[in-house]
């Protein structure tokens, strides 16, 4: 007999109350729901379900601090109750604690919840935390629950793919294709095409190119993305050795896009011309150039393989460069710059352009030819770091045509290289004024102003291109909303330079001491400096942290795609996105932020360690009137500054003072820093910064074995391709690690021995005791 | 051949700096910020000229009453036509970067001013030129301008050596 699982008639009052409350909660009537569970809890304080719901309702009503305690209590009382599990899952999902959310949603399902959509939510959490192993099961179970949607099949295939179970992924995709074949409408054509290509890419990823090729041809009429079709096909043919056939496809691809440099290289590979004599290859490119006269690659590529010693190079280079100078192509220099890696080619090009400059360019009736040639030479000499000559040329060009914006950019760059940061920003600004709607020079000017520590001017400058909220004085808030990371990082670094400047000034001031009778103004000056240091330190920290926050958002943003991409049928792009998310912390702009932050953290740690008691700023006693006036002035000045630097409306901590305070009071500051760097162990294992910083962290934490590993990893990066350079920084660290571990009374003696042995085996010079003399590079 | 290598285009709030730059480096006289801002007013005759897409020259002219004779450079620049009936067009500035002279750019700008003058149903174009600058005077004479009276000390406040100006007029 089947046991009917209906609501028992004799359910106790609490349960029925709870059910009622749950309904209210689902209807977003949180207040009412809360009231109901509270009456329950009055009667029975241990009613787990009510506790859980109270936690959730509290969260929804904004009592965020009173949410988690109830959830914890609830799961303590009823760890096997699927309703409690589910509510806990929902709570942790809303606070973006995905590992906990996944744990409790899984428990809800395992404990027999009949609510199947839990599985879907669970799969999102599992993807978010990269628990691919369990992801497979939840996606599969949900498919069994709802097999009528293609999205669910695709989701299962992706789960298999992420587990590198290629065969299961392909068979899942093939199966749904078979089921759906006769029911496809025009509206499904895009999804069908994408799924077919996805399947194909998996077959290829598994290494079976012959099969991939066969299936690709079979599916051709289903595929709408012709570009991918051709690129896949050509790749498979190449890998299978059918180069002749591949070459035909590369020719088709070239016809579609003759500006893709890649295709030319691949065409040559398929035609096996890469080892042929230069004359042969030149003929090929001449023919291609005649097919595609408006494309750059067939003209440029020969310059990469004709050696500088061949007279052909001179001829070809002239043929390439001179028409561009005559026509006034601003990017001429940028176009030839890749050739400069070869010193001899650089010399040939130099003589061609100098020659042209002295003769044809100067004699031409068209003044722009001389102008563009001068512009080219300025960039050329800048590349060679011949700043005198570069200046001469750019000044001549500026005198000739002071209305050309590009010239100011190069002039500013030259000044920057001369170390004249302030002048560089002024020149850039002159150029900007010629064309206020040129976004490129606007951004450049902003950057140069920031480099010159003129933060307010910089923000005003870029604010021409930001949204200006009502009663906002500049676009600082919008730059945060728009996640304009480069401005934030540059600002943070500018603020950091500024507070360090103030620190130097403060030190000088204190060293000099107050002049006689000037004690009061000395104190005033001192307090002023201390205040400025605090402000800019806080702001710097605040801007760095803003980028960290934005990257958290970048990572969390993928959440929506776990369902969206299934429904839209874009599995290929989805998998790409996941891979991209897996390494966002190694993005250069982010590692720059980490570098900046690590300086902060180490500085604070050190100042705490040395327990340097900072003198409290002494309040100067003045007659009341004067004091009041001064205070009013200070408040006004502060308010003005805040209006300029606020990162969001009603910013509770506009100057980052609280951030700085919290950080200074944090006993585990090094552990906090480690948390920031943790993702880099995986994502940024090839970066010097990763291991330099981790080494310092481990050393401070007394994790010597890990510190040893960090030195080894660092050494590996510094010595690519198995070279054996002996770098100073490595030698220093080896000695430092050895000494620190030996002098550490808390260290385990066995570990110290392991370190010593490890160091010797990794760096044999260490045993000889002269490592510092050998490691000098 | 595609487009003409010389072309004219409007001035906008975003490229006033270009006109300013051209005048600064090409003319001995200076103009106020306000003067440049005025160039956006619709009653003004203002154009930039481009050579191979590079801005190299500019003209600014305005409606004028020939009876309102003034005798200094500054008041002429500030003069606004209000109650008077315009009967002429006055060229306030016409400049081409040195490297781009002799290519027909200035003529093109002048032609434009002449066309605009005709559209306003007035038949005279007036301007002041520095008496010492023979090059400029003969440039205008070649294009049909007639020398008129000398205005003594016209450019005095501008610090030019011989501050007298000659009035040049063209009947159109």
């Amino acid at each position: 007999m089947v046991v009917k699982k209906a609501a028992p008639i004799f359910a106790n009052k609490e349960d029925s109350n709870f059910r009622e409350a749950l309904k209210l909660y689902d209807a977003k009537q949180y207040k009412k729901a809360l009231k109901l569970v509270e009456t329950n809890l009055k009667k029975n304080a241990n009613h787990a379900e009510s506790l859980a719901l109270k936690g959730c309702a509290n969260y929804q009503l904004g009592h965020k601090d009173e949410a988690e305690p109830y959830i914890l209590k609830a799961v303590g009382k009823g760890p096997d109750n699927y309703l409690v599990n589910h509510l806990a899952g929902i709570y942790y999902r809303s606070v973006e604690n995905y590992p906990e959310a996944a744990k409790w949603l899984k428990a809800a399902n395992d404990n027999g919840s009949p609510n199947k959509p839990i599985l879907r939510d669970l799969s999102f959490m599992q993807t978010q935390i990269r628990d691919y192993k369990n992801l497979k099961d939840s996606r599969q179970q949900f498919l069994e629950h709802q097999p009528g949607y293609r999205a669910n099949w695709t989701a299962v295939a992706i789960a298999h793919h992420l587990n590198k179970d290629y065969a299961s992924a392909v068979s899942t995709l093939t199966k749904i294709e078979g089921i759906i074949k006769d029911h496809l409408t025009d509206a499904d054509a895009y999804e069908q095409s994408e799924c077919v290509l996805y399947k194909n890419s998996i077959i290829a990823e598994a290494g079976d190119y012959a099969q991939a090729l066969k299936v690709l041809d079979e599916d051709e009429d289903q595929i709408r993305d012709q570009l991918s079709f051709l690129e896949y096909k050509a790749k498979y043919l190449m890998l299978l050795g059918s180069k002749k056939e591949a070459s035909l496809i590369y020719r088709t691809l070239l016809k579609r896009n003759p500006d893709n440099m890649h295709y030319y290289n691949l065409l040559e590979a398929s035609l096996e011309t890469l080892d042929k004599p230069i004359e042969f290859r030149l003929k090929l490119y001449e023919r291609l150039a005649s097919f595609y006269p408006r494309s750059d690659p067939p003209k440029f590529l020969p310059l990469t393989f004709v050696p500088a010693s061949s007279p052909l190079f001179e001829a070809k280079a002239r043929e390439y460069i001179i028409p561009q100078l005559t026509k006034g192509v601003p990017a001429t220099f940028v176009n030839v710059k890749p050739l400069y890696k070869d010193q001899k080619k650089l010399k040939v090009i130099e003589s061609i352009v100098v020659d042209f400059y002295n003769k044809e360019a100067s004699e031409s009736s068209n003044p722009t030819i001389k102008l563009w040639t001068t512009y080219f030479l300025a960039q050329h000499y800048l590349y060679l770091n011949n700043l005198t000559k570069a200046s001469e040329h750019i000044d001549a060009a500026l005198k000739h045509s002071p209305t050309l914006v590009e010239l100011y950019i190069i002039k500013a760059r030259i000044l920057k290289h001369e170390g004249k940061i302030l002048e560089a920003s002024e020149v850039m600004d002159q150029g900007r004024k010629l064309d206020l709607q040129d976004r490129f020079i606007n951004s450049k000017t902003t950057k140069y102003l920031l480099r010159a520590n003129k933060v307010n001017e910089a923000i005003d400058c870029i604010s021409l291109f930001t949204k200006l909220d009502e009663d906002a004085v500049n676009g600082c808030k919008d730059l945060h909303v728009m996640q304009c990371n480069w401005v934030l990082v540059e600002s943070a670094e500018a603020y950091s330079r500024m507070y360090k400047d103030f620190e130097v000034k403060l030190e000088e001031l204190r060293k000099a001491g107050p002049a006689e009778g000037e004690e009061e103004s000395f104190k005033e000056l001192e307090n002023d400096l201390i205040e400025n240091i605090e402000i800019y330190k806080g702001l710097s920290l605040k801007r760095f942290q803003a980028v960290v926050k934005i990257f958290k958002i970048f990572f969390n943003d993928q959440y929506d795609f776990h369902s969206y991409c299934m429904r839209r049928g874009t599995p290929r792009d989805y998998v790409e996105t996941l891979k991209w998310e897996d390494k966002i912390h190694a993005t250069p702009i982010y590692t720059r932020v980490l570098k900046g932050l690590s300086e902060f953290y180490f500085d604070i740690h050190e100042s705490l360690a040395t327990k340097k008691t900072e003198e409290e700023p002494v309040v100067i006693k003045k007659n009341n009137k004067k004091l009041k006036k001064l205070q009013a002035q200070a408040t006004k000045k502060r308010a003005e500054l805040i209006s300029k630097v606020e990162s969001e409306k009603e910013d509770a901590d506009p100057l980052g003072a609280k951030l700085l305070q919290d950080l200074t009071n944090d006993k585990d500051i090094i552990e906090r820093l480690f948390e920031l760097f943790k993702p880099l162990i995986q994502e940024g294992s090839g970066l010097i910064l990763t291991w330099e910083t981790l080494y310092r962290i481990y050393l401070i934490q007394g994790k010597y074995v890990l510190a040893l590993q960090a030195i080894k990893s660092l050494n590996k990066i510094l010595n690519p391709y198995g070279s054996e350079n002996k770098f100073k920084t490595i030698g220093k660290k080896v000695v430092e690690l050895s000494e620190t571990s030996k002098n550490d009374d808390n260290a385990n003696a066995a570990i110290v021995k392991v370190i010593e042995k490890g160091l010797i085996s990794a760096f044999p010079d260490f045993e000889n005791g002269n490592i510092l003399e050998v490691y000098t590079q | 051949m595609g487009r003409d290598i010389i072309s004219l285009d409007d001035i906008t709030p975003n490229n006033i700096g270009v006109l300013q730059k051209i005048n600064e480096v090409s003319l001995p006289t200076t103009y106020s910020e306000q003067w440049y801002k005025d160039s956006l007013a619709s009653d003004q005759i203002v154009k930039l000229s481009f050579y191979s897409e590079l801005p190299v020259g500019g003209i600014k002219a305005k409606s004028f009453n020939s009876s309102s004779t003034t005798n200094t450079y500054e008041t002429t620049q500030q003069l606004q036509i209000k109650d008077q009936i315009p009967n002429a067009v006055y060229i306030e500035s016409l400049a081409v970067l040195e490297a781009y002279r002799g290519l027909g750019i200035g003529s093109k700008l002048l032609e434009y001013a002449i066309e605009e003058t005709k559209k306003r149903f007035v038949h005279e174009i007036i301007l002041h030129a520095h008496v010492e600058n023979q090059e400029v005077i003969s440039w205008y004479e070649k294009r049909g301008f007639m020398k008129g009276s000398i205005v003594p000390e016209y450019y005095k406040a501008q610090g030019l050596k011989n501050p007298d100006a000659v009035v040049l007029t063209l009947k159109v």
Side-chain angles (χ1 to χ4, degrees):
Chain A
M1 211 184 115
V2 184
V3 181
K4 230 172 149 190
K5 212 188 165 198
I9 309 160
F10 44 83
N12 63 33
K13 182 90 170 127
E14 276 111 62
D15 283 347
S16 74
N17 260 351
F18 171 74
R19 259 194 297 280
E20 189 62 30
L22 200 56
K23 261 187 217 150
L24 287 167
Y25 182 88
D26 284 338
K28 297 191 169 141
Q29 309 254 25
Y30 305 121
K31 258 194 189 142
K32 285 185 187 163
L34 186 63
K35 220 171 189 178
L36 218 51
V37 290
E38 267 169 353
T39 54
N40 260 1
L41 290 169
K42 247 176 228 160
K43 263 205 244 157
N44 176 4
N46 290 329
H47 194 248
E49 291 156 354
S50 298
L51 285 167
L53 194 62
K54 183 168 179 183
C56 284
N58 269 341
Y59 177 80
Q60 294 291 356
L61 290 168
H63 317 308
K64 298 201 170 156
D65 297 335
E66 291 167 54
E68 197 171 11
Y70 287 99
I71 300 289
L72 289 172
K73 216 164 157 189
V75 296
K77 304 272 182 222
D80 302 326
N81 182 326
Y82 63 72
L83 279 169
V84 173
N85 298 155
H86 191 181
L87 285 167
I90 288 172
Y91 167 74
Y92 284 114
R93 184 184 60 190
S94 27
V95 296
E96 292 178 357
N97 183 345
Y98 298 118
E100 279 295 302
K103 179 174 141 197
W104 292 113
L105 289 178
K106 187 164 188 306
N109 187 53
D110 291 347
N111 286 326
S113 171
N115 186 342
K116 291 301 169 195
I118 288 182
L119 286 164
R120 201 182 47 200
D121 289 348
L122 173 59
S123 61
F124 303 161
M125 303 303 145
Q126 288 165 333
T127 318
Q128 194 79 11
I129 61 170
R130 304 294 188 260
D131 179 7
Y132 293 149
K133 209 169 136 261
N134 290 312
L135 171 69
K136 198 175 56 189
D137 296 334
S138 44
R139 289 285 201 194
Q140 181 72 37
Q141 281 182 45
F142 190 65
L143 171 65
E144 279 156 22
H145 169 64
Q146 270 192 348
Y149 294 93
R150 182 177 200 162
N152 296 337
W153 292 82
T154 313
V156 170
I158 290 173
H160 286 307
H161 181 203
L162 293 171
N163 277 303
K164 299 206 163 40
D165 181 355
Y166 304 118
S168 303
V170 173
S171 83
T172 307
L173 289 164
T174 315
K175 200 161 171 193
I176 182 63
E177 271 174 35
I179 296 170
I180 216 165
K181 202 162 65 190
D182 302 324
H183 310 288
L184 284 174
T185 64
D186 279 350
D188 303 322
Y190 175 77
E191 185 177 7
Q192 170 74 359
S193 164
E194 280 301 305
C195 288
V196 162
L197 282 167
Y198 178 54
K199 177 189 66 183
N200 206 276
S201 70
I202 300 175
I203 303 174
E205 205 178 318
D208 191 349
Y209 301 114
Q211 175 69 8
L213 182 61
K214 191 177 143 242
V215 175
L216 189 68
D217 279 333
E218 284 167 11
D219 289 339
E220 186 179 350
D221 57 336
Q222 316 273 336
I223 294 169
R224 297 197 143 188
D225 180 354
Q226 272 297 303
L227 181 68
S228 293
F229 172 76
L230 290 169
E231 285 186 348
Y232 282 19
K233 188 165 181 178
K235 187 174 108 190
Y236 300 156
L237 286 167
M238 283 297 280
L239 288 161
L240 291 166
S242 313
K243 295 197 172 163
K244 185 99 211 302
E245 279 175 74
S247 75
L248 295 176
I249 297 183
Y250 283 125
R251 288 201 192 262
T252 317
L253 281 167
L254 269 183
K255 213 181 266 174
R256 288 175 61 106
N257 179 6
D259 293 318
N260 188 331
M261 197 154 324
H262 232 57
Y263 292 155
Y264 290 89
N265 295 327
L266 289 164
L267 176 67
E268 277 215 84
S270 67
L271 291 172
E272 299 182 299
T273 54
L274 290 166
D275 311 323
K276 293 262 168 65
I278 296 160
E279 289 75 13
F280 189 91
R281 293 177 71 188
L282 277 177
K283 271 214 187 89
L284 172 70
Y285 279 100
E286 266 160 32
R287 233 175 15 250
L288 286 167
S290 72
F291 290 151
Y292 311 117
R294 297 173 66 89
S295 294
D296 181 71
K299 297 189 197 94
F300 174 75
L301 284 169
L303 299 175
T304 60
F305 62 78
V306 178
S309 53
S310 158
L312 280 172
F313 180 79
E314 219 252 299
K316 284 280 160 194
R318 191 179 291 276
E319 232 170 76
Y320 181 71
I321 299 165
I322 302 302
Q324 291 194 28
L325 291 176
T326 316
K327 231 191 288 166
V329 178
T332 311
F333 181 75
V334 178
N335 287 341
V336 301
K337 203 169 84 177
L339 301 170
Y340 276 27
K341 272 177 258 160
D342 184 336
Q343 278 294 317
K344 286 181 202 139
K345 287 188 179 173
L346 184 154
K347 282 282 156 219
V348 176
I349 290 168
E350 180 181 278
S351 78
I352 291 172
V353 180
V354 169
D355 199 42
F356 180 74
Y357 176 76
N358 289 331
K359 290 188 196 132
E360 290 94 327
S362 302
E363 288 155 12
S364 165
S365 63
N366 181 344
T368 59
I369 296 176
K370 181 162 184 185
L371 169 67
W372 291 113
T373 313
T374 321
Y375 176 62
F376 181 102
L377 287 172
Q379 292 172 86
H380 171 83
Y381 290 118
L382 176 59
Y383 179 93
L384 293 176
N385 208 22
N386 184 342
L387 299 181
T388 324
K389 270 203 158 169
S391 285
E392 276 168 25
H393 280 93
I394 203 67
D395 288 344
L398 273 168
K399 190 154 186 291
H400 184 280
S401 301
T403 51
L404 181 59
V405 174
E406 279 86 345
L407 302 179
Y408 292 85
I409 298 175
I410 296 300
K411 171 82 184 166
R413 261 176 62 195
I414 294 169
L415 287 167
K416 183 183 82 176
H417 281 270
E418 286 174 347
K420 299 173 185 160
I421 309 283
L422 195 67
E423 280 173 56
S425 74
E426 280 159 7
V427 168
M428 206 55 110
D429 199 43
Q430 279 176 34
R432 183 184 71 89
K433 285 191 180 132
L434 294 178
D435 190 355
L436 295 175
Q437 58 189 348
D438 184 332
R439 197 168 186 146
F440 182 76
I441 190 151
N442 182 280
S443 298
K444 279 275 175 198
T445 310
T446 305
K447 186 170 146 183
Y448 273 58
L449 284 167
L450 286 168
R451 291 278 163 94
N453 296 352
K454 295 202 268 186
V455 184
N456 288 338
E457 284 97 324
I459 301 298
D460 285 345
C461 171
I462 199 168
S463 291
L464 282 180
F465 287 94
T466 61
K467 203 175 86 186
L468 216 53
D469 290 329
E470 233 174 285
D471 58 64
V473 291
N474 59 28
C476 194
K477 293 185 202 76
D478 192 46
L479 290 165
H480 282 80
V481 176
M482 289 291 117
Q483 307 177 327
C484 191
N485 286 325
W486 70 267
V487 172
L488 298 179
V489 173
E490 292 283 355
S491 309
E493 288 172 357
Y495 285 134
S496 161
R497 285 189 297 269
M498 286 159 82
Y499 93 73
K500 281 177 190 155
D501 282 352
F502 281 121
E503 278 182 344
V504 171
K505 273 190 203 145
L506 180 64
E507 204 171 308
E508 281 168 4
L509 182 79
R510 284 182 173 163
K511 219 185 209 165
E516 244 187 70
E518 302 266 313
E519 283 83 3
E520 198 170 284
S521 68
F522 174 84
K523 273 285 162 216
E524 231 173 86
L525 217 58
E526 190 181 24
N527 280 345
D528 211 34
L529 284 172
I530 291 173
E531 197 190 335
N532 275 323
I533 291 170
E534 289 289 307
I535 289 177
Y536 291 115
K537 215 171 179 176
L539 278 171
S540 175
L541 183 64
K542 175 123 182 138
R543 293 288 179 271
F544 278 132
Q545 291 287 11
V547 182
V548 172
K549 227 191 255 171
I550 288 172
F551 269 76
K552 268 197 191 121
I553 297 173
F554 285 175
F555 193 82
N556 281 341
D557 276 348
Q558 63 179 301
Y559 184 81
D560 296 333
F561 294 105
H562 304 322
S563 60
Y564 179 78
C565 288
M566 307 302 129
R567 279 185 283 120
R568 300 297 299 171
T570 53
R572 287 190 300 163
D573 297 321
Y574 173 66
V575 173
E576 283 282 299
T577 309
L578 290 187
K579 282 186 188 148
W580 175 78
E581 293 279 9
D582 275 340
K583 45 178 203 289
I584 51 166
H585 297 104
T587 313
I589 197 107
Y590 190 71
T591 55
R592 229 169 111 186
V593 168
L594 288 185
K595 189 165 191 291
L597 281 175
S598 69
E599 274 170 31
F600 258 101
Y601 284 51
F602 284 132
D603 275 357
I604 292 174
H605 171 78
E606 268 160 34
S607 67
L608 285 182
T610 51
K611 285 237 171 67
K612 208 173 71 189
T613 40
E614 192 68 40
E615 283 171 59
E616 283 293 307
V618 186
V619 185
I620 320 155
K621 279 195 188 120
K622 289 221 167 80
N623 59 50
N624 258 342
K625 228 178 178 181
K626 200 175 172 193
L627 190 66
K628 259 191 192 153
K629 202 177 151 198
L630 271 178
Q631 268 174 349
Q633 263 177 1
T635 327
K636 203 181 153 200
K637 220 176 103 189
R638 223 181 165 83
E640 205 177 306
L641 179 68
I642 286 173
S643 73
K644 279 181 191 158
V645 300
E646 240 181 359
S647 61
E648 57 188 2
K649 242 188 178 152
E650 317 278 314
D651 198 336
D653 184 23
L655 300 174
K658 192 175 171 299
L659 267 181
L660 188 61
Q661 188 79 40
D662 288 351
L663 202 60
T664 318
N665 293 337
D666 197 330
K667 295 251 162 8
D668 290 327
I669 186 166
I670 293 299
E671 184 59 25
R672 293 288 99 74
L673 182 62
F674 176 71
E675 279 157 19
L676 281 172
F677 272 81
K678 207 172 151 195
L680 285 191
I681 298 177
Q682 287 287 327
E683 301 172 32
S685 62
L687 299 172
I688 292 177
L689 173 73
T690 306
W691 300 113
E692 288 261 10
T693 316
L694 283 171
Y695 165 76
R696 271 183 85 180
I697 293 174
Y698 292 143
L699 199 67
I700 292 170
Q701 293 183 327
K703 296 177 178 166
Y704 302 124
V705 180
L706 288 168
L708 171 63
Q709 289 303 331
I711 302 183
K712 283 197 209 162
S713 302
L714 182 62
N715 194 42
K716 216 187 257 166
I717 298 169
L718 293 172
N719 284 307
Y721 317 116
S723 59
E724 282 186 39
N725 296 314
K726 301 186 173 183
F727 291 98
K728 218 185 240 168
T729 161
I730 297 289
K732 266 193 197 155
K733 287 190 174 60
V734 169
V735 174
E736 186 184 26
L737 174 59
S738 162
E739 279 171 8
T740 313
S741 65
K742 275 186 216 153
N743 293 336
D744 185 350
D745 301 332
N746 298 326
N748 183 326
I751 298 275
V752 175
K753 252 184 209 155
V754 168
I755 298 296
E756 205 65 7
K757 279 209 175 125
L759 285 172
I760 290 169
S761 82
F763 309 99
D765 292 307
F766 180 54
E767 200 174 12
N768 308 331
N770 62 347
I771 185 160
L772 288 179
E773 287 136 49
V774 181
Y775 278 64
T776 51
Q777 240 176 314
Chain B
M1 262 313 267
R3 278 176 304 169
D4 200 343
I5 198 157
I6 303 168
S7 63
L8 301 186
D9 206 350
D10 294 333
I11 198 143
T12 69
N14 291 319
N15 64 12
I16 289 185
V18 171
L19 181 66
Q20 206 165 348
K21 193 64 159 184
I22 292 169
N23 284 354
E24 258 170 42
V25 299
S26 325
L27 301 174
T29 48
T30 55
Y31 302 87
S32 66
E33 288 285 332
Q34 187 55 44
W35 185 84
Y36 285 106
K37 272 188 197 135
D38 287 345
S39 63
L40 295 170
S42 58
D43 64 327
Q44 301 249 340
I45 299 170
V46 187
K47 278 281 172 186
L48 287 173
S49 69
F50 293 78
Y51 184 83
S52 183
E53 293 176 36
L54 225 77
V56 294
I59 188 169
K60 179 166 165 347
K62 62 185 174 189
S63 292
F64 193 71
N65 188 296
S66 56
S67 66
S68 60
T69 45
T70 61
N71 44 21
T72 69
Y73 168 79
E74 286 72 23
T75 44
T76 316
Q77 304 305 339
Q78 281 161 19
L79 192 71
Q80 299 277 345
I81 186 139
K82 280 186 195 114
D83 307 326
Q84 289 170 316
I85 296 158
N87 65 356
V89 159
Y90 178 78
I91 297 181
E92 297 168 284
S93 82
L94 169 55
V96 174
L97 293 177
E98 200 180 341
Y100 297 84
R101 290 181 194 159
L103 295 166
I105 297 162
S107 303
K108 199 130 184 175
L109 285 167
L110 186 61
E111 268 165 39
Y112 171 77
I114 293 171
E115 286 305 308
E116 284 297 305
T117 309
K118 285 179 183 163
K119 274 186 202 159
R120 292 172 187 217
F121 300 106
V122 294
H123 305 285
E124 196 175 19
I125 296 180
I126 308 177
L127 62 97
H128 286 97
H130 188 208
V131 284
E132 295 282 295
N133 199 337
Q134 201 47 52
E135 208 184 326
V136 163
I137 295 169
S138 55
W139 189 86
Y140 282 110
E141 280 178 333
K142 226 185 268 173
R143 282 155 185 82
F145 280 78
M146 304 297 281
K147 259 202 237 182
S149 53
I150 301 279
V151 187
E153 308 217 311
Y154 182 77
Y155 289 115
K156 195 174 180 195
Q158 291 287 313
L160 295 190
K161 231 187 212 161
N162 175 356
D164 296 354
V166 58
V167 173
L168 289 161
T169 54
L170 178 74
K171 301 273 177 213
V172 298

